[in-house]
């Protein structure tokens, strides 16, 4: 693992955007794996600025998001479809047909999960996967468990995650209790991984990911087995290392 220590959120976001930008410059038809949540928002802002300054062209880029809540329509303002449009896609020239996010609002979830895996494979696989990390060590919505779930699947969110994500909803009762998430194998098959972590709430998870034993109880610890992981951490998130 390559650990890049930075002072703050802004520095983390700028460095992360530069890494994604160089990926796109080197391979204009890159397949990007994307995340939602508070962590990557600053990086997305930087990428939008680079696009506006004509430093980046997303016209041949394909994207695959990590996850989506179960049972929310794409138009729901809490869905990850909505989040991605609001924080990135509406402001860059990525083609609609090249955007992929699991659909959490279908009758046949199993078929949706299988198809998501198939489309990732057919695209040639993810070149760089952006990850945040949950305070409980989750990546995507792969929650602490006794096993690693390999491929895209329906997840029961843990109480920790429901509480953490309730900040985006008007009440905790509104937070979906299930989500569709890429699996651990899906994530591990990405050619490169870029994980961002900021704030003291991530310090234990960051410690477990980098120094802890590899265990499904801290899902991010599996990243120790990937040979091209870059972690950008601010002072608070790295305080326990
Ligand atoms: C989001 C995702 C999650 C988040 C994690 C951290 O697509 O897969 O694993 O990255 O929950 O969330 P934030 O960034 O809001 O602290």
């Amino acid at each position: 693992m390559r650990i890049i220590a930075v002072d703050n959120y802004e520095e983390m976001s700028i460095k992360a955007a530069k890494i994604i930008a160089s990926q796109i410059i080197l391979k204009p038809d890159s397949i990007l794996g994307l995340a939602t949540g508070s962590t990557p928002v600053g990086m997305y802002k930087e990428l939008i600025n680079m696009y506006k300054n004509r430093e980046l062209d997303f016209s041949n880029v394909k994207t695959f998001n990590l996850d989506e809540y179960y049972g929310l329509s794409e138009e729901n303002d809490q869905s990850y479809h909505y989040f991605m449009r609001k924080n990135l896609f509406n402001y860059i020239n990525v083609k609609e047909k090249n955007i992929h996010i699991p659909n959490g609002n279908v009758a046949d979830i199993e078929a949706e999960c299988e198809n998501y895996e198939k489309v990732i494979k057919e695209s040639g696989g993810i070149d760089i996967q952006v990850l945040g990390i949950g305070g409980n060590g989750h990546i995507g919505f792969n929650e602490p468990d006794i096993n690693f779930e390999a491929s895209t699947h329906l997840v029961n969110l843990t109480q920790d995650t429901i509480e953490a994500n309730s900040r985006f909803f008007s009440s905790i009762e509104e937070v979906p209790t299930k989500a569709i998430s890429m699996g651990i194998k899906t994530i591990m098959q990405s050619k490169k991984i870029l994980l961002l972590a900021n704030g003291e709430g991530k310090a234990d998870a960051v410690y477990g990911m980098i120094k802890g034993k590899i265990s499904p109880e801290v899902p991010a610890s599996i990243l120790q087995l990937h040979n091209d992981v870059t972690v950008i951490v601010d002072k608070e998130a790295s305080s326990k290392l």
Side-chain angles (χ1 to χ4, degrees):
M1 276 189 195
R2 198 178 293 116
I3 317 286
I4 303 180
V6 295
D7 281 340
N8 53 42
Y9 181 80
E10 197 193 353
E11 209 187 314
M12 177 188 83
S13 304
I14 293 170
K15 287 226 159 70
K18 284 183 177 163
I19 292 172
I20 298 298
S22 53
Q23 170 70 41
I24 297 171
I25 291 166
L26 290 170
K27 185 173 181 257
D29 59 348
S30 283
I31 315 289
L32 306 182
L34 299 178
T36 59
S38 308
T39 310
V41 170
M43 177 191 78
Y44 292 148
K45 281 201 181 112
E46 293 297 325
L47 289 171
I48 292 168
N49 285 337
M50 289 180 193
Y51 168 70
K52 284 190 180 147
N53 295 335
R54 297 170 189 264
E55 292 163 47
L56 274 185
D57 173 17
F58 291 86
S59 60
N60 290 312
V61 164
K62 285 188 183 154
T63 67
F64 286 91
N65 264 77
L66 281 168
D67 39 24
E68 175 59 287
Y69 285 122
Y70 174 69
L72 296 191
S73 76
E74 293 182 12
E75 290 73 37
N76 188 306
D77 61 5
Q78 298 297 349
S79 74
Y80 287 169
H81 278 78
Y82 189 94
F83 175 100
M84 289 308 300
R85 285 199 298 274
K86 191 178 81 181
N87 288 291
L88 183 66
F89 297 150
N90 282 352
Y91 307 100
I92 59 172
N93 65 336
V94 64
K95 293 189 180 115
E96 189 67 34
K97 66 170 180 141
N98 288 339
I99 294 173
H100 305 87
I101 306 178
N103 186 346
N105 205 25
V106 287
D108 191 345
I109 285 288
E110 233 171 82
E112 173 66 16
C113 293
E114 263 172 44
N115 187 54
Y116 203 62
E117 289 287 324
K118 189 168 150 252
V119 181
I120 294 174
K121 268 198 196 94
E122 284 169 359
S123 75
I126 293 168
D127 290 304
I128 186 162
Q129 175 67 55
V130 176
L131 296 176
I133 184 169
N136 63 4
H138 74 208
I139 46 175
F141 273 139
N142 292 279
E143 299 283 37
D145 204 342
I146 47 167
N147 293 310
F148 287 115
E149 242 344 299
S151 46
T152 303
H153 59 292
L154 186 66
V155 184
N156 289 315
L157 299 176
T158 61
Q159 198 53 31
D160 295 351
T161 299
I162 293 171
E163 275 163 28
N165 290 3
S166 66
R167 69 190 194 279
F168 299 113
F169 292 79
S170 35
S171 75
I172 195 160
E173 289 73 38
E174 282 177 31
V175 186
T177 55
K178 291 175 199 262
I180 297 186
S181 176
M182 279 187 197
I184 290 292
K185 186 172 165 200
T186 330
I187 294 172
M188 290 293 281
Q189 281 175 336
S190 309
K191 292 168 192 120
K192 293 180 190 157
I193 290 178
L194 173 63
L195 186 141
L196 312 180
N198 69 287
E200 61 178 351
K202 303 295 173 70
D204 285 326
V206 165
Y207 179 88
M209 164 177 73
I210 296 172
K211 299 235 164 122
K213 86 171 173 27
I214 299 167
S215 152
E217 284 159 26
V218 182
S221 63
I222 193 81
L223 299 177
Q224 293 174 31
L225 299 180
H226 193 285
N227 63 10
D228 195 340
V229 179
T230 302
V231 178
I232 311 185
V233 266
D234 77 349
K235 278 196 178 130
E236 286 84 21
S238 61
S239 59
K240 302 213 166 147
L241 289 177

